[in-house]
Amino acid sequence: MFDPSMVPTPDPNPLPAPYWVFKLLLVVTFALHILAMNFMLGGALLALLARWRQKGSQFGTRIFYDVAKKVPVMMAATISLGIAPLLFVQVLYGQFFYTSSILVAWPWFLVLVLVVCAYYGFYFVSYQGQRRHQAVGRVMLFSTTLVLIIGFIYTNNLTLSQVPANWAQKYFSSTSGWGLNLAEPTLVPRYLHFMTAAVAVGGLYLVLIAWSKWKQDQQYARAIFQLGGKAFLYATMSQFVIGFWFLFSLPKALRMIFLGADSLATSLLCFGLVAALVSIFMMSAALKKDNIRLAALGVTSVTALDVLTMSTMRELLRMAYLKPYYNPQQFAVQTQWSPFLIFLVLFVAGVAFWFVMLKRYGLFSKTKAAQQ
Amino acid sequence: MNYPVWDVAFGAGLLMALVAGLHVFVSHFAVGGGLFLILTERKARRNNDAQLLTWLKYHTRFFVLLTVVFGAVSGVGIWFTIGLISPTATSNLIHIYVWGWAIEWVFFFLEITAALLYLYGWDKLEPKVHEWFGWVYFVTAFASMVVINGIITFMLTPGNWIANHQFWSGFFNPTYAPSLLFRFCISLALAGIYSLITASLQKDAELKARIVRWGAIWTVPSLLLLPVFAWWYIRSIPQLLWVSARGAMPTGTHFALLACLLLGGTLLLVLVSLVRPSRLHLSLSLLLAVVAFGAMDSFEFVRESIRKPFVIVNYLYANSLYFTPMPGDGGFTVDNISSAGVLQTAKWVQNRNLTQDNQVAAGREIFRVECQSCHTANSYRGIHQYIVLRHWDQDKLHAMLGVLFMMHNNVMPQFAGTDAELNALSAYLGSLQSMNPPTDLHPVGKTVFEQNCSMCHQARPDDHLFTNMPKDPQTAVTALSSLPAMFPIMPDLKLSEDERRALVQWVDTQRSAQAATGGN
Ligand code: HEM
């Protein structure tokens, strides 16, 4: 029998802003993190695919290098956007998150080493380029594999953080922090759900790249579009299998929140499924009609919405998992107004300034960039 | 004890030191190095110095690959690691300072973007626009230091926060300003030091010499200014804590000395590099970097040492117990645990009740939840080593465990638990080695002092051991047969008559040597 009193007591400090503020920030920044991660990982996987599938063909290699060049930047984005949810998850779920991290401490710590290695590998690829074609392919494969492992460790830790009942047995059989959460029935489908999404969203990333090159070199852009669009299509279609596998691997009580027991969760699931279907039809129409705008604008917006929906569902699922141990009302709230407002102002100004930077860099003026 | 303790055989503290040490060395470079890039670019453009510009481009790549990749990931690494090692402290810091962290994240995000655009913009942007990105980078990098500095200094000198729990009271605490200037100074010095690494790889001897001299302009004045800010910094730390670095605590004292030596060494090596700047070899620039790294890490060690037994001074002990009871503390205070028992209070122990048979196993768990945040059994700061070093037998060990909090300028929290639990802890620690030290027939006074008194008394004439020990040898020998009678909270160490005699004799010779040199 698990003793619920083993769940650590949160520290005595009140929340420095209302609960929902952190909830909102957590869900939104997590969605951004996962999008960036998808661009990075999906981009890397599709770059590798392009390289293998069209061996020797001009475009395959070209796509590989064009996409690979951008991966390090997306890695930077993944990490930078990962810090925010890392902060907010600790604000709201520290007692679960720290505990599960400690139970898988070594793999969790290893994430850092893997991230550094993968990151330098991606930079190696983007700097060496054609000069060392063979080596670059291997390094790219190596780094991408590391990223896949990182994602796996994440899913291990986060699934464990939601099931306190599994903690004691795990800890008392070994306190050294080696080991993962492999006995968790949702582990594999959940992980595959994330990784397949990475391929789909990575496909969209390729569509966006193709769009930016459409005017300059349509034939080449079309090749990228085809690759990215199809990747999106197949990946999203397979989500209907993987997603339902995930849903049915959940304990019954939790599954039911998406199947009627909780109206918000159920509507979000319906919405998410419809959005996925719509995006599939849109993408296949766009591919058939060679309509890059539809793919780049339409499918991307629908998918962005879908990612946000799924992130919210993920949060509702966590709440359901933790229901016996966690009660949002437990938090005392004492808003620290001045630092909170400073954050809000800086955040808004920061986002605006960020766009100014991109603009000054010439990212939005295609002609200028083309001159160089 | 609220959280499970991650058992790292070689010492989780070492892992923390490794991650934090590397991060600090790179992240300070990320600040000073930003200013270095932009001012060097301006200088090169003003003088139409194409060579210098070419080198700077190359240096930018080195800078970005180091700071954006390693600097950023190791920064996340500190979060991961403290979360694993001190979850309670992390949780407190998060709840007290989320908005600080969130603000710092905004700057960080802009900083990373600016760094990448500055790097990729070298061949793409007009000089003016390129320089603008350099400035954006530096300003945002500096701003993140401004924020983070408030939280780091809070841990050492929380100031009025302890009383009022106000964000800004803890943030702008007594060491905020000196620490910021001190760290900024370090970051400027590092900018110069790192520039020598890429400079040493240049083929053109004349260009190399120019960079080395330019680097020295960053390094030398900063290194000379550093002691000034250090002095101010030290003056702002409560004396009670600072004496740990002045002899009261061996670790703190050693590292303070080491920091000074290595700082001097850094300056010396910079001067050496200036003797033949055109011949600067990679090995010298790397040696310089290593010595500077040592200096900086030693400083961080001093900071952490003098903070002990706390992670957040006067609020939270390193072993996750709160200093004073308060609502919501979960019972994790010395007071509560001493009456309720640690095995009853801790969440992550299996031996809830003590029996004849589980003494060692329970003692081991007590050690894990109470001591392992700073110690290991056999490795880093291993208790085994201490017991061997001090030649303690089971009785002495037991006596010492009850008075840990007095040792080395209160470097440890008081043992929290019942007497029976103290016995169990002592049984476990005693089981780490054979506990029959050789009985010395001719004890040496100095050794007796080191093995029995040196953890609380310093071998210096103004320590009360020397000033207040009865002057008459026989009276002293008799008095020493009961330390608690001399001073109530001293441990009841049963010293043999020979030991007492040797000790008194040694104390006397120390005193007369002192008198002979005329005091002080
Ligand atoms: C570089 C490779 C990375 C990959 C492939 C990756 C992937 C993932 C995945 C798949 C999840 C969801 C896990 C689940 O719910 O089962 C996740 C969550 C998360 N990631 Fe990342 N991640 C990466 C890097 C990072 C970094 C460097 C950070 C921190 C700076 C970070 C912060 C987070 C956080 C905080 C969450 C959990 C948010 C929550 O529970 O609400 N990630 N990541």
Side-chain angles (χ1 to χ4, degrees), chain A residues 5 8-9 11-13 16 80 91 105 120 171 175-176 336 338 354 360-361, chain B residues 2 5-7 65 91-92 95-96 98-99 105 113 120 167-168 322 347:
Chain A
S5 72
T9 319
D11 66 88
N13 297 285
S80 310
V91 172
Y120 278 122
Y171 184 68
T175 52
S176 67
Q336 298 169 347
S338 58
W354 191 70
R360 286 207 88 175
Y361 187 74
Chain B
N2 189 17
V5 175
W6 176 25
D7 250 330
L65 283 181
S91 173
N92 274 282
H95 282 137
I96 301 169
V98 221
W99 296 127
W105 170 67
T113 311
Y120 293 131
F167 185 99
W168 298 114
Y322 291 98
K347 289 178 187 277

mmCIF file of all heavy atoms in Angstrom, chain A residues 5 8-9 11-13 16 80 91 105 120 171 175-176 336 338 354 360-361, chain B residues 2 5-7 65 91-92 95-96 98-99 105 113 120 167-168 322 347:
data_model
loop_
_atom_site.group_PDB
_atom_site.id
_atom_site.type_symbol
_atom_site.label_atom_id
_atom_site.label_comp_id
_atom_site.label_asym_id
_atom_site.label_seq_id
_atom_site.Cartn_x
_atom_site.Cartn_y
_atom_site.Cartn_z
ATOM 1 N N SER A 5 1.127 10.128 2.335
ATOM 2 C CA SER A 5 1.845 11.172 3.056
ATOM 3 C C SER A 5 3.310 11.224 2.623
ATOM 4 O O SER A 5 4.062 12.076 3.061
ATOM 5 C CB SER A 5 1.759 10.933 4.553
ATOM 6 O OG SER A 5 2.556 9.832 4.896
ATOM 7 N N PRO A 8 5.999 14.855 -0.924
ATOM 8 C CA PRO A 8 6.600 15.950 -0.154
ATOM 9 C C PRO A 8 5.649 17.130 0.063
ATOM 10 O O PRO A 8 4.763 17.390 -0.751
ATOM 11 C CB PRO A 8 7.784 16.369 -1.024
ATOM 12 C CG PRO A 8 8.129 15.135 -1.798
ATOM 13 C CD PRO A 8 6.830 14.445 -2.053
ATOM 14 N N THR A 9 5.849 17.783 1.185
ATOM 15 C CA THR A 9 5.070 18.981 1.487
ATOM 16 C C THR A 9 5.679 20.150 0.713
ATOM 17 O O THR A 9 6.889 20.320 0.736
ATOM 18 C CB THR A 9 5.204 19.323 2.985
ATOM 19 O OG1 THR A 9 5.148 18.106 3.719
ATOM 20 C CG2 THR A 9 4.152 20.284 3.434
ATOM 21 N N ASP A 11 6.986 23.913 -0.091
ATOM 22 C CA ASP A 11 7.615 24.834 0.850
ATOM 23 C C ASP A 11 6.610 25.892 1.305
ATOM 24 O O ASP A 11 5.563 26.076 0.681
ATOM 25 C CB ASP A 11 8.840 25.480 0.212
ATOM 26 C CG ASP A 11 8.504 26.370 -0.941
ATOM 27 O OD1 ASP A 11 8.243 27.562 -0.731
ATOM 28 O OD2 ASP A 11 8.462 25.861 -2.093
ATOM 29 N N PRO A 12 6.900 26.591 2.402
ATOM 30 C CA PRO A 12 5.891 27.463 3.021
ATOM 31 C C PRO A 12 5.595 28.769 2.280
ATOM 32 O O PRO A 12 4.685 29.479 2.681
ATOM 33 C CB PRO A 12 6.482 27.794 4.399
ATOM 34 C CG PRO A 12 7.845 27.258 4.438
ATOM 35 C CD PRO A 12 8.099 26.455 3.231
ATOM 36 N N ASN A 13 6.327 29.085 1.210
ATOM 37 C CA ASN A 13 6.095 30.384 0.577
ATOM 38 C C ASN A 13 4.841 30.389 -0.275
ATOM 39 O O ASN A 13 4.582 29.435 -1.004
ATOM 40 C CB ASN A 13 7.291 30.752 -0.284
ATOM 41 C CG ASN A 13 8.535 30.911 0.543
ATOM 42 O OD1 ASN A 13 8.705 31.895 1.238
ATOM 43 N ND2 ASN A 13 9.389 29.897 0.516
ATOM 44 N N PRO A 16 3.403 33.662 -5.745
ATOM 45 C CA PRO A 16 3.516 35.112 -5.914
ATOM 46 C C PRO A 16 2.601 35.674 -7.005
ATOM 47 O O PRO A 16 2.827 36.802 -7.460
ATOM 48 C CB PRO A 16 4.989 35.310 -6.252
ATOM 49 C CG PRO A 16 5.423 34.032 -6.840
ATOM 50 C CD PRO A 16 4.542 32.940 -6.313
ATOM 51 N N SER A 80 15.899 27.524 -24.998
ATOM 52 C CA SER A 80 15.455 28.797 -24.410
ATOM 53 C C SER A 80 13.976 28.738 -24.053
ATOM 54 O O SER A 80 13.558 29.263 -23.023
ATOM 55 C CB SER A 80 15.689 29.941 -25.385
ATOM 56 O OG SER A 80 16.998 29.897 -25.873
ATOM 57 N N VAL A 91 6.988 25.711 -10.091
ATOM 58 C CA VAL A 91 6.122 26.542 -9.263
ATOM 59 C C VAL A 91 4.881 25.751 -8.850
ATOM 60 O O VAL A 91 4.469 25.750 -7.696
ATOM 61 C CB VAL A 91 5.689 27.813 -10.022
ATOM 62 C CG1 VAL A 91 4.638 28.574 -9.225
ATOM 63 C CG2 VAL A 91 6.875 28.715 -10.294
ATOM 64 N N ALA A 105 17.459 10.052 -11.339
ATOM 65 C CA ALA A 105 18.432 11.135 -11.325
ATOM 66 C C ALA A 105 19.525 11.025 -12.384
ATOM 67 O O ALA A 105 19.829 12.004 -13.061
ATOM 68 C CB ALA A 105 19.059 11.238 -9.936
ATOM 69 N N TYR A 120 26.474 20.341 -30.133
ATOM 70 C CA TYR A 120 27.742 20.544 -30.838
ATOM 71 C C TYR A 120 27.770 19.742 -32.132
ATOM 72 O O TYR A 120 28.322 20.185 -33.128
ATOM 73 C CB TYR A 120 28.935 20.200 -29.946
ATOM 74 C CG TYR A 120 29.296 21.341 -29.004
ATOM 75 C CD1 TYR A 120 29.312 21.187 -27.630
ATOM 76 C CD2 TYR A 120 29.616 22.600 -29.525
ATOM 77 C CE1 TYR A 120 29.630 22.245 -26.784
ATOM 78 C CE2 TYR A 120 29.923 23.662 -28.694
ATOM 79 C CZ TYR A 120 29.928 23.481 -27.322
ATOM 80 O OH TYR A 120 30.222 24.532 -26.505
ATOM 81 N N TYR A 171 12.094 3.759 -5.078
ATOM 82 C CA TYR A 171 13.179 4.369 -4.312
ATOM 83 C C TYR A 171 13.818 3.357 -3.372
ATOM 84 O O TYR A 171 15.035 3.284 -3.271
ATOM 85 C CB TYR A 171 12.666 5.563 -3.518
ATOM 86 C CG TYR A 171 13.764 6.293 -2.766
ATOM 87 C CD1 TYR A 171 14.748 6.998 -3.463
ATOM 88 C CD2 TYR A 171 13.833 6.261 -1.383
ATOM 89 C CE1 TYR A 171 15.762 7.662 -2.791
ATOM 90 C CE2 TYR A 171 14.847 6.921 -0.696
ATOM 91 C CZ TYR A 171 15.803 7.620 -1.408
ATOM 92 O OH TYR A 171 16.804 8.272 -0.743
ATOM 93 N N THR A 175 18.421 3.491 -4.184
ATOM 94 C CA THR A 175 18.405 4.934 -3.946
ATOM 95 C C THR A 175 19.405 5.656 -4.828
ATOM 96 O O THR A 175 19.624 6.845 -4.677
ATOM 97 C CB THR A 175 18.769 5.224 -2.483
ATOM 98 O OG1 THR A 175 20.003 4.543 -2.195
ATOM 99 C CG2 THR A 175 17.699 4.752 -1.538
ATOM 100 N N SER A 176 20.015 4.920 -5.758
ATOM 101 C CA SER A 176 21.113 5.530 -6.502
ATOM 102 C C SER A 176 20.650 6.329 -7.719
ATOM 103 O O SER A 176 21.449 6.962 -8.379
ATOM 104 C CB SER A 176 22.094 4.460 -6.946
ATOM 105 O OG SER A 176 21.463 3.630 -7.885
ATOM 106 N N GLN A 336 3.110 39.202 -5.702
ATOM 107 C CA GLN A 336 4.201 40.187 -5.622
ATOM 108 C C GLN A 336 4.004 41.141 -6.794
ATOM 109 O O GLN A 336 4.526 40.924 -7.882
ATOM 110 C CB GLN A 336 5.562 39.489 -5.760
ATOM 111 C CG GLN A 336 5.866 38.490 -4.666
ATOM 112 C CD GLN A 336 7.094 37.653 -5.019
ATOM 113 O OE1 GLN A 336 7.576 37.646 -6.141
ATOM 114 N NE2 GLN A 336 7.599 36.931 -4.036
ATOM 115 N N SER A 338 4.881 44.260 -7.808
ATOM 116 C CA SER A 338 5.853 44.993 -8.625
ATOM 117 C C SER A 338 6.727 44.080 -9.488
ATOM 118 O O SER A 338 6.848 44.329 -10.685
ATOM 119 C CB SER A 338 6.666 45.976 -7.783
ATOM 120 O OG SER A 338 7.330 45.305 -6.753
ATOM 121 N N TRP A 354 11.971 41.508 -29.861
ATOM 122 C CA TRP A 354 12.484 40.334 -30.556
ATOM 123 C C TRP A 354 12.156 40.417 -32.049
ATOM 124 O O TRP A 354 12.993 40.149 -32.908
ATOM 125 C CB TRP A 354 11.851 39.090 -29.921
ATOM 126 C CG TRP A 354 12.455 37.805 -30.339
ATOM 127 C CD1 TRP A 354 13.683 37.342 -30.012
ATOM 128 C CD2 TRP A 354 11.846 36.809 -31.156
ATOM 129 N NE1 TRP A 354 13.888 36.108 -30.566
ATOM 130 C CE2 TRP A 354 12.781 35.755 -31.270
ATOM 131 C CE3 TRP A 354 10.614 36.685 -31.805
ATOM 132 C CZ2 TRP A 354 12.516 34.600 -32.007
ATOM 133 C CZ3 TRP A 354 10.355 35.535 -32.529
ATOM 134 C CH2 TRP A 354 11.292 34.510 -32.624
ATOM 135 N N ARG A 360 15.337 43.890 -38.224
ATOM 136 C CA ARG A 360 16.594 44.565 -38.545
ATOM 137 C C ARG A 360 17.578 43.598 -39.182
ATOM 138 O O ARG A 360 18.450 43.982 -39.963
ATOM 139 C CB ARG A 360 17.231 45.151 -37.282
ATOM 140 C CG ARG A 360 16.538 46.386 -36.778
ATOM 141 C CD ARG A 360 17.499 47.259 -36.012
ATOM 142 N NE ARG A 360 18.204 48.176 -36.903
ATOM 143 C CZ ARG A 360 19.038 49.120 -36.476
ATOM 144 N NH1 ARG A 360 19.279 49.274 -35.193
ATOM 145 N NH2 ARG A 360 19.641 49.918 -37.321
ATOM 146 N N TYR A 361 17.446 42.343 -38.822
ATOM 147 C CA TYR A 361 18.332 41.346 -39.404
ATOM 148 C C TYR A 361 17.970 41.069 -40.861
ATOM 149 O O TYR A 361 18.755 40.532 -41.620
ATOM 150 C CB TYR A 361 18.245 40.046 -38.598
ATOM 151 C CG TYR A 361 19.240 39.013 -39.028
ATOM 152 C CD1 TYR A 361 20.589 39.146 -38.708
ATOM 153 C CD2 TYR A 361 18.844 37.899 -39.767
ATOM 154 C CE1 TYR A 361 21.512 38.217 -39.117
ATOM 155 C CE2 TYR A 361 19.764 36.960 -40.172
ATOM 156 C CZ TYR A 361 21.102 37.114 -39.839
ATOM 157 O OH TYR A 361 22.019 36.186 -40.235
ATOM 158 N N ASN B 2 12.110 15.546 3.507
ATOM 159 C CA ASN B 2 10.835 15.771 2.856
ATOM 160 C C ASN B 2 10.873 15.117 1.473
ATOM 161 O O ASN B 2 9.914 14.508 1.028
ATOM 162 C CB ASN B 2 10.624 17.285 2.728
ATOM 163 C CG ASN B 2 9.242 17.670 2.252
ATOM 164 O OD1 ASN B 2 8.323 16.869 2.303
ATOM 165 N ND2 ASN B 2 9.102 18.890 1.781
ATOM 166 N N VAL B 5 16.509 11.337 -0.968
ATOM 167 C CA VAL B 5 17.885 11.786 -1.154
ATOM 168 C C VAL B 5 18.540 10.925 -2.222
ATOM 169 O O VAL B 5 18.504 9.699 -2.163
ATOM 170 C CB VAL B 5 18.677 11.676 0.163
ATOM 171 C CG1 VAL B 5 20.139 12.024 -0.067
ATOM 172 C CG2 VAL B 5 18.072 12.578 1.216
ATOM 173 N N TRP B 6 19.111 11.592 -3.194
ATOM 174 C CA TRP B 6 19.799 10.891 -4.273
ATOM 175 C C TRP B 6 21.160 10.441 -3.751
ATOM 176 O O TRP B 6 21.992 11.267 -3.388
ATOM 177 C CB TRP B 6 19.947 11.832 -5.461
ATOM 178 C CG TRP B 6 20.712 11.277 -6.618
ATOM 179 C CD1 TRP B 6 20.882 9.973 -6.954
ATOM 180 C CD2 TRP B 6 21.414 12.045 -7.612
ATOM 181 N NE1 TRP B 6 21.632 9.862 -8.098
ATOM 182 C CE2 TRP B 6 21.971 11.113 -8.522
ATOM 183 C CE3 TRP B 6 21.597 13.404 -7.844
ATOM 184 C CZ2 TRP B 6 22.724 11.515 -9.624
ATOM 185 C CZ3 TRP B 6 22.342 13.806 -8.942
ATOM 186 C CH2 TRP B 6 22.898 12.866 -9.816
ATOM 187 N N ASP B 7 21.357 9.112 -3.714
ATOM 188 C CA ASP B 7 22.602 8.548 -3.198
ATOM 189 C C ASP B 7 23.665 8.566 -4.281
ATOM 190 O O ASP B 7 23.642 7.752 -5.193
ATOM 191 C CB ASP B 7 22.343 7.069 -2.820
ATOM 192 C CG ASP B 7 22.363 6.868 -1.331
ATOM 193 O OD1 ASP B 7 23.087 7.624 -0.661
ATOM 194 O OD2 ASP B 7 21.685 5.946 -0.853
ATOM 195 N N LEU B 65 29.838 29.613 -29.752
ATOM 196 C CA LEU B 65 29.796 28.168 -29.543
ATOM 197 C C LEU B 65 30.007 27.827 -28.071
ATOM 198 O O LEU B 65 29.481 26.843 -27.563
ATOM 199 C CB LEU B 65 30.846 27.464 -30.397
ATOM 200 C CG LEU B 65 30.481 27.337 -31.866
ATOM 201 C CD1 LEU B 65 31.563 26.608 -32.638
ATOM 202 C CD2 LEU B 65 29.154 26.596 -32.035
ATOM 203 N N SER B 91 12.941 24.615 -4.396
ATOM 204 C CA SER B 91 11.526 24.929 -4.334
ATOM 205 C C SER B 91 11.294 26.287 -3.653
ATOM 206 O O SER B 91 10.491 27.101 -4.120
ATOM 207 C CB SER B 91 10.839 23.799 -3.567
ATOM 208 O OG SER B 91 9.505 24.089 -3.333
ATOM 209 N N ASN B 92 12.022 26.533 -2.589
ATOM 210 C CA ASN B 92 11.898 27.833 -1.924
ATOM 211 C C ASN B 92 12.339 28.971 -2.841
ATOM 212 O O ASN B 92 11.653 29.982 -2.967
ATOM 213 C CB ASN B 92 12.748 27.857 -0.647
ATOM 214 C CG ASN B 92 11.994 27.300 0.549
ATOM 215 O OD1 ASN B 92 11.157 27.983 1.119
ATOM 216 N ND2 ASN B 92 12.274 26.065 0.913
ATOM 217 N N HIS B 95 9.724 29.632 -5.453
ATOM 218 C CA HIS B 95 8.512 30.319 -5.008
ATOM 219 C C HIS B 95 8.782 31.747 -4.561
ATOM 220 O O HIS B 95 7.950 32.627 -4.738
ATOM 221 C CB HIS B 95 7.822 29.518 -3.902
ATOM 222 C CG HIS B 95 7.049 28.357 -4.451
ATOM 223 N ND1 HIS B 95 7.061 27.108 -3.886
ATOM 224 C CD2 HIS B 95 6.277 28.258 -5.554
ATOM 225 C CE1 HIS B 95 6.310 26.286 -4.612
ATOM 226 N NE2 HIS B 95 5.825 26.962 -5.625
ATOM 227 N N ILE B 96 9.946 31.976 -3.988
ATOM 228 C CA ILE B 96 10.241 33.342 -3.557
ATOM 229 C C ILE B 96 10.545 34.219 -4.769
ATOM 230 O O ILE B 96 10.149 35.373 -4.826
ATOM 231 C CB ILE B 96 11.427 33.347 -2.570
ATOM 232 C CG1 ILE B 96 11.093 32.489 -1.344
ATOM 233 C CG2 ILE B 96 11.779 34.760 -2.128
ATOM 234 C CD1 ILE B 96 12.282 32.216 -0.440
ATOM 235 N N VAL B 98 10.167 33.461 -8.382
ATOM 236 C CA VAL B 98 9.760 33.136 -9.757
ATOM 237 C C VAL B 98 9.834 34.324 -10.660
ATOM 238 O O VAL B 98 10.261 34.209 -11.803
ATOM 239 C CB VAL B 98 8.283 32.720 -9.933
ATOM 240 C CG1 VAL B 98 8.184 31.592 -10.880
ATOM 241 C CG2 VAL B 98 7.528 32.614 -8.703
ATOM 242 N N TRP B 99 9.367 35.456 -10.184
ATOM 243 C CA TRP B 99 9.331 36.600 -11.106
ATOM 244 C C TRP B 99 10.729 37.079 -11.441
ATOM 245 O O TRP B 99 10.975 37.549 -12.547
ATOM 246 C CB TRP B 99 8.438 37.726 -10.566
ATOM 247 C CG TRP B 99 7.014 37.263 -10.483
ATOM 248 C CD1 TRP B 99 6.189 37.313 -9.413
ATOM 249 C CD2 TRP B 99 6.248 36.635 -11.532
ATOM 250 N NE1 TRP B 99 4.972 36.752 -9.709
ATOM 251 C CE2 TRP B 99 4.976 36.339 -11.002
ATOM 252 C CE3 TRP B 99 6.507 36.281 -12.859
ATOM 253 C CZ2 TRP B 99 3.970 35.716 -11.755
ATOM 254 C CZ3 TRP B 99 5.509 35.663 -13.610
ATOM 255 C CH2 TRP B 99 4.265 35.390 -13.050
ATOM 256 N N TRP B 105 14.686 35.194 -17.606
ATOM 257 C CA TRP B 105 14.445 34.374 -18.803
ATOM 258 C C TRP B 105 14.183 35.251 -20.030
ATOM 259 O O TRP B 105 14.655 34.959 -21.134
ATOM 260 C CB TRP B 105 13.272 33.421 -18.551
ATOM 261 C CG TRP B 105 12.796 32.708 -19.776
ATOM 262 C CD1 TRP B 105 13.489 31.764 -20.487
ATOM 263 C CD2 TRP B 105 11.557 32.899 -20.454
ATOM 264 N NE1 TRP B 105 12.754 31.350 -21.560
ATOM 265 C CE2 TRP B 105 11.555 32.032 -21.572
ATOM 266 C CE3 TRP B 105 10.444 33.705 -20.237
ATOM 267 C CZ2 TRP B 105 10.494 31.956 -22.450
ATOM 268 C CZ3 TRP B 105 9.376 33.629 -21.114
ATOM 269 C CH2 TRP B 105 9.406 32.769 -22.202
ATOM 270 N N THR B 113 19.171 35.273 -28.813
ATOM 271 C CA THR B 113 18.839 35.691 -30.172
ATOM 272 C C THR B 113 19.881 36.669 -30.701
ATOM 273 O O THR B 113 20.380 36.530 -31.820
ATOM 274 C CB THR B 113 17.448 36.356 -30.193
ATOM 275 O OG1 THR B 113 16.538 35.509 -29.511
ATOM 276 C CG2 THR B 113 16.970 36.579 -31.598
ATOM 277 N N TYR B 120 25.763 35.320 -37.061
ATOM 278 C CA TYR B 120 25.401 35.089 -38.464
ATOM 279 C C TYR B 120 25.428 36.382 -39.268
ATOM 280 O O TYR B 120 25.466 36.371 -40.489
ATOM 281 C CB TYR B 120 24.015 34.437 -38.571
ATOM 282 C CG TYR B 120 23.979 33.019 -38.022
ATOM 283 C CD1 TYR B 120 22.983 32.620 -37.138
ATOM 284 C CD2 TYR B 120 24.936 32.091 -38.402
ATOM 285 C CE1 TYR B 120 22.946 31.325 -36.635
ATOM 286 C CE2 TYR B 120 24.905 30.799 -37.901
ATOM 287 C CZ TYR B 120 23.916 30.414 -37.011
ATOM 288 O OH TYR B 120 23.889 29.133 -36.524
ATOM 289 N N PHE B 167 9.975 40.627 -1.549
ATOM 290 C CA PHE B 167 10.833 40.352 -2.716
ATOM 291 C C PHE B 167 12.063 41.255 -2.755
ATOM 292 O O PHE B 167 13.199 40.799 -2.790
ATOM 293 C CB PHE B 167 9.984 40.551 -3.977
ATOM 294 C CG PHE B 167 10.669 40.205 -5.277
ATOM 295 C CD1 PHE B 167 10.452 38.978 -5.886
ATOM 296 C CD2 PHE B 167 11.498 41.120 -5.906
ATOM 297 C CE1 PHE B 167 11.053 38.661 -7.095
ATOM 298 C CE2 PHE B 167 12.117 40.812 -7.117
ATOM 299 C CZ PHE B 167 11.889 39.581 -7.707
ATOM 300 N N TRP B 168 11.818 42.571 -2.750
ATOM 301 C CA TRP B 168 12.936 43.498 -2.974
ATOM 302 C C TRP B 168 13.892 43.555 -1.791
ATOM 303 O O TRP B 168 15.074 43.844 -1.964
ATOM 304 C CB TRP B 168 12.429 44.902 -3.306
ATOM 305 C CG TRP B 168 11.619 44.923 -4.570
ATOM 306 C CD1 TRP B 168 10.294 45.198 -4.686
ATOM 307 C CD2 TRP B 168 12.084 44.650 -5.907
ATOM 308 N NE1 TRP B 168 9.897 45.111 -5.996
ATOM 309 C CE2 TRP B 168 10.973 44.775 -6.771
ATOM 310 C CE3 TRP B 168 13.315 44.304 -6.459
ATOM 311 C CZ2 TRP B 168 11.069 44.580 -8.141
ATOM 312 C CZ3 TRP B 168 13.409 44.103 -7.826
ATOM 313 C CH2 TRP B 168 12.290 44.236 -8.647
ATOM 314 N N TYR B 322 14.345 23.727 8.272
ATOM 315 C CA TYR B 322 14.169 25.171 8.418
ATOM 316 C C TYR B 322 14.802 25.629 9.720
ATOM 317 O O TYR B 322 14.805 24.911 10.724
ATOM 318 C CB TYR B 322 12.694 25.537 8.355
ATOM 319 C CG TYR B 322 12.110 25.332 6.975
ATOM 320 C CD1 TYR B 322 11.393 24.184 6.657
ATOM 321 C CD2 TYR B 322 12.336 26.269 5.976
ATOM 322 C CE1 TYR B 322 10.899 23.974 5.382
ATOM 323 C CE2 TYR B 322 11.849 26.070 4.693
ATOM 324 C CZ TYR B 322 11.131 24.924 4.401
ATOM 325 O OH TYR B 322 10.655 24.728 3.130
ATOM 326 N N LYS B 347 10.008 11.599 5.449
ATOM 327 C CA LYS B 347 9.058 10.868 4.615
ATOM 328 C C LYS B 347 9.708 9.674 3.952
ATOM 329 O O LYS B 347 9.056 8.679 3.692
ATOM 330 C CB LYS B 347 8.498 11.796 3.541
ATOM 331 C CG LYS B 347 7.556 12.837 4.105
ATOM 332 C CD LYS B 347 7.052 13.763 3.016
ATOM 333 C CE LYS B 347 6.242 14.905 3.576
ATOM 334 N NZ LYS B 347 4.850 14.564 3.835
#
